[in-house]
Amino acid sequence: MAKFHQGKYTVINEEKYSGNGSPVFRSSWEQTFMQFCDNNPNVMAWASEPVRITYKHPLTGKLTSYVPDFVVVYRDSNGKKNAELIEIKPANQSNPKFARGRAQQAQVAINYAKWDAATHWAKKRGMKFRVLNEGDIYANTKKPKAVKKPKKPIKPR
């Protein structure tokens, strides 16, 4: 099983963080997004894993819970205040075009059910729901790809 970069994020601009306790990142992409929210002057407030949304699991038919990664309140380039519910997912779990094999295809189907519930939840509250992948997090990525670990450790110069 793959290990992901995980840990607690130390908030620099505490007045902007509206979550409970220290935010926990479950990937380097989430950590990068936390740094973006914390340091971006247009982000007014943000929280990590702030809500729980009930959805119907498409494979089992049972009601279960989904916890989106972030809520972000920001001012856009026109000065308008916006609020978004944000999920960070790799392209192979968020787009059937990039899903390889049955397991990833099943994960995409499950994620779509979660995101449908999140879209409705957000809309009821005057918010938007958005999924970001590696191509969104890292601007220099032209096409989302799975991130591969180097086989040999990288030595500092």
Side-chain angles (χ1 to χ4, degrees):
M1 179 158 208
K3 291 223 178 203
F4 297 98
H5 184 66
Q6 299 180 16
K8 286 188 178 183
Y9 177 76
T10 303
V11 177
I12 296 167
N13 297 296
E14 295 178 10
E15 69 282 359
K16 289 169 62 169
Y17 186 68
S18 58
N20 295 324
S22 295
V24 176
F25 56 87
R26 301 181 199 295
S27 72
S28 60
W29 300 344
E30 287 183 13
Q31 182 183 24
T32 298
F33 189 76
M34 288 177 180
Q35 291 168 336
F36 170 81
C37 291
D38 198 11
N39 295 314
N40 188 309
N42 294 319
V43 173
M44 301 163 63
W46 66 282
S48 174
E49 299 182 347
V51 298
R52 185 174 299 278
I53 300 170
T54 301
Y55 77 102
K56 186 176 181 180
H57 193 288
L59 305 180
T60 66
K62 294 181 180 180
L63 290 180
T64 189
S65 294
Y66 163 52
V67 179
D69 294 325
F70 301 98
V71 168
V72 179
V73 178
Y74 65 94
R75 290 211 186 274
D76 64 21
S77 59
N78 296 320
K80 183 181 174 194
K81 185 176 172 181
N82 298 279
E84 290 190 16
L85 194 58
I86 304 282
E87 177 67 23
I88 310 270
K89 275 288 184 248
N92 65 15
Q93 292 180 22
S94 58
N95 186 332
K97 184 169 110 176
F98 295 111
R100 294 191 179 137
R102 289 183 185 253
Q104 286 183 357
Q105 290 169 352
Q107 190 60 57
V108 169
I110 293 166
N111 286 339
Y112 276 30
K114 291 176 183 180
W115 301 341
D116 184 53
T119 299
H120 287 87
W121 185 95
K123 189 174 183 178
K124 281 184 182 179
R125 290 154 181 84
M127 301 170 67
K128 293 179 183 175
F129 174 72
R130 185 176 4 174
V131 178
L132 302 177
N133 66 30
E134 57 272 35
D136 300 309
I137 302 292
Y138 301 105
N140 62 349
T141 303
K142 291 183 180 176
K143 182 178 175 184
K145 298 177 185 174
V147 175
K148 294 181 181 179
K149 267 182 135 177
K151 292 183 181 183
K152 295 180 182 179
I154 298 172
K155 294 180 183 179
R157 294 181 184 187

